[in-house]
């Protein structure tokens, strides 16, 4: 991967400039779930994919998607090719609990398979750090925020209060892949309703964030489990 790696200040600089200049910008992330979705019938057989604990949980309704899903595989890969900033796990990472074979080595295999070569990368857990960085919340102050998540009411209420004080201009419930079409339809139809979009909806957020930047011309962030940090004070 021949990309420029940004530390936290660099990520914040990119987001801040895009918000200020009102231009599209997507931040997406690749963890074990994204790797598993992209592995279907590419670097692994479907049988191998379905044996993974993450896939078993997904098929029990815990991940917002069920497998196999080759359409989502292709959409995730396409969004990673087009996204402005892609979070990847560093080699030897221990910040997520997944087994090592689901981490960066698998990402590298998949990026090679799909020809994904992001210009800019950062840490895949950047969302957790953003959630705990005052500068991030300050740059969102006064902006109209679109919130898309399963835990809509709780997160919406929390983000409007201390210390966040966000203006949640629109909020869409999202807890499964089947809602992708209608959600993107709303976003494309209402681009003037918001300035920045935050997505907390698992692997689906990769596609939603990249497509939102493209379709609505806005800053869109795959915010992942940052909702857990905001609601519970921890990532898991």
């Amino acid at each position: 991967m021949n990309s420029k790696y940004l530390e936290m200040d660099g990520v914040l600089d990119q987001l801040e400039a895009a918000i200020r200049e009102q231009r599209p910008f997507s931040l997406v992330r690749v963890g074990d779930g994204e790797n598993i979705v992209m592995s279907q019938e590419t670097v692994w057989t479907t049988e191998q994919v379905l044996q993974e604990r993450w896939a078993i949980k997904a098929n029990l309704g815990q991940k917002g998607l069920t497998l196999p899903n080759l359409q989502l595989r292709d959409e995730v890969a396409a969004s990673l090719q087009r996204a402005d900033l892609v979070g990847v796990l560093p080699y030897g990472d221990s910040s997520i609990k997944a087994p090592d074979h689901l981490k960066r080595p698998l990402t590298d295999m998949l990026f090679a398979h799909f020809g994904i070569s992001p210009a800019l990368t950062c840490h895949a857990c950047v969302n957790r750090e953003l959630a705990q960085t005052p500068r991030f919340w300050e740059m969102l102050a006064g902006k109209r925020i679109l919130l898309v998540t399963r835990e809509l009411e709780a997160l919406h209420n929390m983000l409007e209060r201390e210390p966040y004080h966000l203006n949640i201009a629109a909020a869409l419930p999202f807890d499964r892949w089947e809602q992708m079409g209608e959600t993107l339809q709303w976003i494309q139809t209402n681009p003037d309703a918001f300035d920045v979009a935050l997505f907390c909806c698992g692997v689906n957020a990769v596609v939603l964030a990249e497509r939102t930047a493209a379709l609505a011309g806005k800053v869109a962030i795959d915010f992942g489990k940052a909702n857990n940090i905001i609601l519970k004070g921890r990532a898991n």
Side-chain angles (χ1 to χ4, degrees):
M1 235 188 307
N2 194 6
S3 48
K4 182 181 178 190
Y5 186 86
L6 300 179
E7 299 294 347
M8 194 60 192
D9 281 345
V11 172
L12 289 163
D13 289 346
Q14 290 283 335
L15 291 171
E16 205 161 45
I19 292 171
R20 187 176 62 244
E21 294 159 22
Q22 299 184 340
R23 60 180 162 80
F25 189 87
S26 54
L27 164 54
V28 302
R29 301 167 315 103
V30 181
D32 54 332
E34 289 75 16
N35 281 339
I36 286 172
V37 168
M38 285 192 290
S39 293
Q40 303 172 86
E41 296 297 328
T42 54
V43 299
W44 289 354
T45 64
T46 298
E47 288 72 27
Q48 284 174 290
V49 168
L50 294 178
Q51 283 165 8
E52 289 295 334
R53 188 160 166 256
W54 191 97
I56 293 166
K57 284 183 161 185
N59 286 343
L60 290 171
Q62 294 172 23
K63 300 291 183 184
L65 59 97
T66 52
L67 297 171
N69 185 331
L70 301 187
Q71 184 181 341
L72 182 59
R73 174 198 69 188
D74 294 343
E75 287 175 355
V76 167
S79 286
L80 289 171
Q81 282 166 332
R82 294 185 294 240
D84 296 294
L85 175 56
V86 177
V88 291
L89 291 167
Y91 294 104
D93 173 75
S94 59
S95 54
I96 71 167
K97 288 178 179 162
D100 288 340
H101 71 277
L102 296 179
K103 293 185 182 179
R104 179 61 180 273
L106 182 52
T107 302
D108 287 351
M109 284 167 61
L110 289 160
F111 278 23
H113 175 90
F114 284 105
I116 298 167
S117 180
L120 296 174
T121 57
C122 62
H123 198 296
C125 296
V126 63
N127 57 319
R128 301 179 190 184
E129 212 175 328
L130 287 174
Q132 299 171 81
T133 302
R135 184 181 159 197
F136 174 67
W137 299 109
E138 284 158 16
M139 74 173 73
L140 297 182
K143 302 295 172 216
R144 297 166 306 160
I145 307 300
L146 166 64
L147 186 61
V148 181
T149 180
R150 175 182 287 183
E151 299 177 279
L152 203 55
E153 198 173 344
L155 200 56
H156 186 246
N157 293 341
M158 193 72 116
L159 288 174
E160 289 193 321
R161 298 205 299 264
E162 284 277 348
Y164 308 107
H165 295 300
L166 292 194
N167 168 20
I168 308 293
L172 304 175
F174 192 105
D175 62 3
R176 63 187 191 284
W177 173 76
E178 287 77 8
Q179 294 167 288
M180 183 83 76
E182 63 189 278
T183 304
L184 290 174
Q185 179 66 39
W186 187 94
I187 286 163
Q188 189 168 10
T189 314
N190 296 277
D192 299 328
F194 64 98
D195 306 306
V196 179
L198 300 177
F199 296 96
C200 300
C201 31
V203 175
N204 297 300
V206 171
V207 179
L208 288 165
E210 183 275 323
R211 293 281 75 212
T212 295
L215 295 170
K218 300 298 164 74
V219 173
I221 299 171
D222 164 7
F223 212 39
K225 290 191 176 140
N227 57 334
N228 290 346
I229 290 171
I230 294 159
L231 293 171
K232 306 176 204 164
R234 60 179 194 274
N236 293 318

